Amino acid sequence: MRLKKWKNLLVGAAAAVMLMPLHVSAYSNPITISDSWHWANNDFYGEGDPYILKFNGTYYLYVSTVDDQSGVKVWSSTNLVDWSYRGLCTTEAVTKAAYAPEVVYWNGMFYMYTSPGGGGHYVLQSTSPTGPFTVATGNLGMGIDGNVFIDDDGKWYFYSTGSNTINARPMTSPTSFGAAVGTGLSMAGWTEGSTTFKRNGKYYMTYTGNHVWSTGYRVNYATSASPTTGFAPADNQNPVLIDTEGSNVGLGHNSVIKGPDLDSDFMVYHSHASDGNLTYPGRKMNLDRIAWNGDKLLVLGPTTASQQNPELADFEDRFNRTSIGTGWTNIGGGTWGIYNQELMWQDTIGNTNTYRQVTSAGTAGDYTAEFNTKQMKQGTSSNPVYGTVFSYTDESNYGTAVLNRSLNRLETNFVVGGVSQGWQYSALPSGYDYTKWHQIRVEKAGTSFTVYVDGMKKQTRTVSGIGGGKIGYTTTDAHADFGYTGFSNKVNGSSAWNAYKPLPGKIEAVHYMNGAEGTAYHDLTADNIGGAYRSGSVDIRSSAAEGKNVVGWNQTGEWLKYRVNVAETGYYDLDVRLATTFTDASYRVWDGATDLTGVVGVPSSGDWETWTTSSKKGLYLTAGYHELRFEFVKGEFDFSGMTFSRGEAVTSLSDDFNDGNDNGWTRFEGSWSVNSGELDSAGGGVFGKTTIGNERWADYTVESDIKLVDTTGDAGVLVRVNNPSNGTVLVNNPDYLQGYYAFIKPDGVYLGKMNYNYAGVASSSVSLAAGAWHHMKVVASGTTIKVYVNDMATPKITYTDNSGNPFTHGKVGLRTMNNHTRFDNFKVNP
């Protein structure tokens, strides 16, 4: 028997008043950048392969160079949206057609990695992110699309293309590369544009598949316990970024960057943004938020509608003024000042006094703080140090993280109620230059403090009795400079909670709004029964079957509120992912006082770790920012998430091809023609597909007569087709679509699921002679697909897709695989 909560509390909650923001600054994809690359004849080339570096509070953007020119352009921004052109950061001759330049800062030097014209890699270097970069190595080979990752232990790794895979190379210095190690990651035809990073002890790699000029250009991700091997693609989540139809297609070659709020992550990528013209469309930069749920990465996109700007930090200071001002308080003295309206300094040395400057502003209980500092000179005492203070209340309550040049290490301590909690030390890489800029980052979540130096995770300490507080800088017998400083009252991805999630799109159940009981949620118990993910009363547990956190123990009258951004006014369909043993559970969704769904009953899934999808059609939403309330009306079910899709009524259509054409169909691969009132796919050892209808269609019945002319291969009907693309654009892959494929062979009936790969899900053995007509009917309803062949009363296959990514909407189509096939009497009905 599953744990129940009190049922005698108030069952119904009053409809919440929708709280619309007074103003939400917005951007839209693709992002317009000034001074874009153009060909010598002035045709647009754009911002391909965008890479963003953050240094000392400022972002720097680098993109591929047009093929007929040399140099690398750079732009800067403080908010990821408004970009200022800073000119050419290099004019070296080897940068002609510089592919995918990426820049890494280390120990006072900026290193650029690029593969000009795809003809091998070069490393360039500079003391400034805006250059000038000069050539530091000869041609090193190693494929294209180089990416550097620096691990917590200071070891470097270089990733680039291999033979249809991503290779990894250990590095002994920023310009020295070891032997290639195959990661095993492949997109089955073309694999490039990787980015590697580490989060919560796990290595992530995003990587791009298919040729750059294909609409099927797309991004997958994989995870591993090693930076070089063992990468496994994420189940039921790839591609994380794809769009093949419309004006903004061919999405890929991404990088990942931390947002200006210091907590959110964004995927930066390019698209073919030229009204669908793929002759030579040029490329433009796009930006979409990443949301995290446990180890799962979800891209809230792709988007083209207006989106909420990346949030800024709750406090930040770039010292762009002439005096320190009232926003800071001096503790203990010292000589402090502002230099060149770009940094703060303290230069009193020769004693063992500790000098501090702390902010007037203070953090919340959980926060992320970022500091940038360098040492100019140190005294002769036994322990000169410089760095940061945080969670500062007074000299009896604070945390500190300082750098010790003499001992080449990070040192941390906490003082609680006047009692030192003890110093802890972490070695820093050999050869560290403390006279150059280094970043210290502090993440506080509950009683846990995690400290990073230059992106390397160095310490995690558990300290009770200390909360939020002021932040600042500190020195002891050291002359130091202090750069960008900021804090955000968010940590470890909590920025997703209050972010406006784009609709259409997916929303994780655990990403309800941040706030108090009765405002952001209503829960009938005082504590989080599951104890996972978030503090507060909402009950959250980790689901092994879902591979993420879910909201559990939900009962009558409870509710959760979610911020959404509706792209356009119209009708939407809702899919709710749930698990329950109850047979009478139900939910309802509100927009303010408007009941969007009515009471929707949900079926029993049979077990709390058996997940299913419940659908509700026809929700009318208006464009803009909303706060939706998900109410648990009756019974109990665990809640994983919900997906909103644009919906549209199915229009009956039929085509007997007697008019001698296939107007209205979109052919992709293969050799199609209309002969003698039949649609003919020539076969000859090739594959082909053709589609028709509306990607907003959900439930429908599709029928067609099918004749296998050859005895090899197969042919059949496509349903719920999304993101179809031509699998022969400089590759040769038959699986370029998302949807279901019901097909026949001489030995039976088959059903497969296609997601830019193929997975057979069901089959039925039956003799189906080649050269004869067979009638196929496919009924798609909810997540269930029924396939009939010849006998229209009894399905040969009944399959329910209970996976985490069922396809519930899409076009229809026909497909052949290595078979000369004829089709006739095609029709679709609601």
Side-chain angles (χ1 to χ4, degrees), residues 29-47:
N29 288 321
I31 296 174
T32 300
I33 305 291
S34 68
D35 299 276
S36 297
W37 278 113
H38 287 73
W39 292 88
N41 65 6
N42 207 37
D43 285 347
F44 181 75
Y45 182 85
E47 291 79 45

Side-chain angles (χ1 to χ4, degrees), residues 384-629:
V385 294
Y386 67 103
T388 72
V389 289
F390 46 89
S391 287
Y392 183 94
T393 302
D394 52 37
E395 286 296 295
S396 295
N397 297 277
Y398 64 90
T400 186
V402 294
L403 302 180
N404 189 318
R405 175 181 178 180
S406 300
L407 298 176
N408 194 38
R409 69 189 188 187
L410 165 73
E411 304 180 350
T412 69
N413 188 24
F414 292 83
V415 176
V416 181
V419 178
S420 170
Q421 305 301 298
W423 287 91
Q424 291 188 12
Y425 310 107
S426 298
L428 294 172
S430 176
Y432 232 46
D433 186 346
Y434 291 83
T435 68
K436 308 302 182 185
W437 286 109
H438 296 287
Q439 183 195 88
I440 298 174
R441 176 182 170 91
V442 178
E443 297 179 358
K444 180 185 182 297
T447 59
S448 176
F449 290 82
T450 301
V451 182
Y452 300 78
V453 179
D454 291 338
M456 299 176 291
K457 182 178 178 180
K458 287 301 177 183
Q459 290 188 19
T460 296
R461 297 186 62 172
T462 300
V463 182
S464 299
I466 187 169
K470 300 174 182 180
I471 65 170
Y473 287 112
T474 185
T475 70
T476 302
D477 199 18
H479 170 191
D481 288 349
F482 305 103
Y484 172 84
T485 310
F487 70 73
S488 171
N489 295 320
K490 305 164 188 172
V491 65
N492 204 24
S494 65
S495 56
W497 305 345
N498 265 11
Y500 288 90
K501 291 80 174 173
L503 300 187
K506 294 183 177 181
I507 301 174
E508 297 290 291
V510 295
H511 290 166
Y512 56 90
M513 284 173 52
N514 201 28
E517 155 68 35
T519 301
Y521 63 87
H522 175 52
D523 194 276
L524 298 176
T525 55
D527 299 313
N528 178 349
I529 292 174
Y533 189 65
R534 296 178 67 169
S535 60
S537 300
V538 176
D539 305 310
I540 299 175
R541 68 177 179 90
S542 176
S543 166
E546 291 288 87
K548 63 180 182 180
N549 298 301
V550 300
V551 178
W553 297 280
N554 303 294
Q555 63 170 306
T556 301
E558 295 184 337
W559 50 263
L560 302 164
K561 193 178 290 186
Y562 298 88
R563 283 183 166 175
V564 300
N565 176 20
V566 180
E568 57 180 338
T569 298
Y571 287 97
Y572 289 74
D573 295 338
L574 171 63
D575 294 320
V576 176
R577 183 86 170 152
L578 60 95
T580 183
T581 61
F582 282 58
T583 58
D584 61 347
S586 58
Y587 70 85
R588 175 164 43 193
V589 179
W590 300 82
D591 181 0
T594 301
D595 182 350
L596 294 175
T597 61
V599 176
V600 182
V602 300
S604 170
S605 64
D607 187 85
W608 296 105
E609 277 291 83
T610 298
W611 294 85
T612 188
T613 301
S614 171
S615 300
K616 174 63 178 179
K617 306 292 192 298
L619 287 66
Y620 188 77
L621 301 176
T622 56
Y625 298 99
H626 300 262
E627 291 176 359
L628 303 184
R629 184 162 56 91

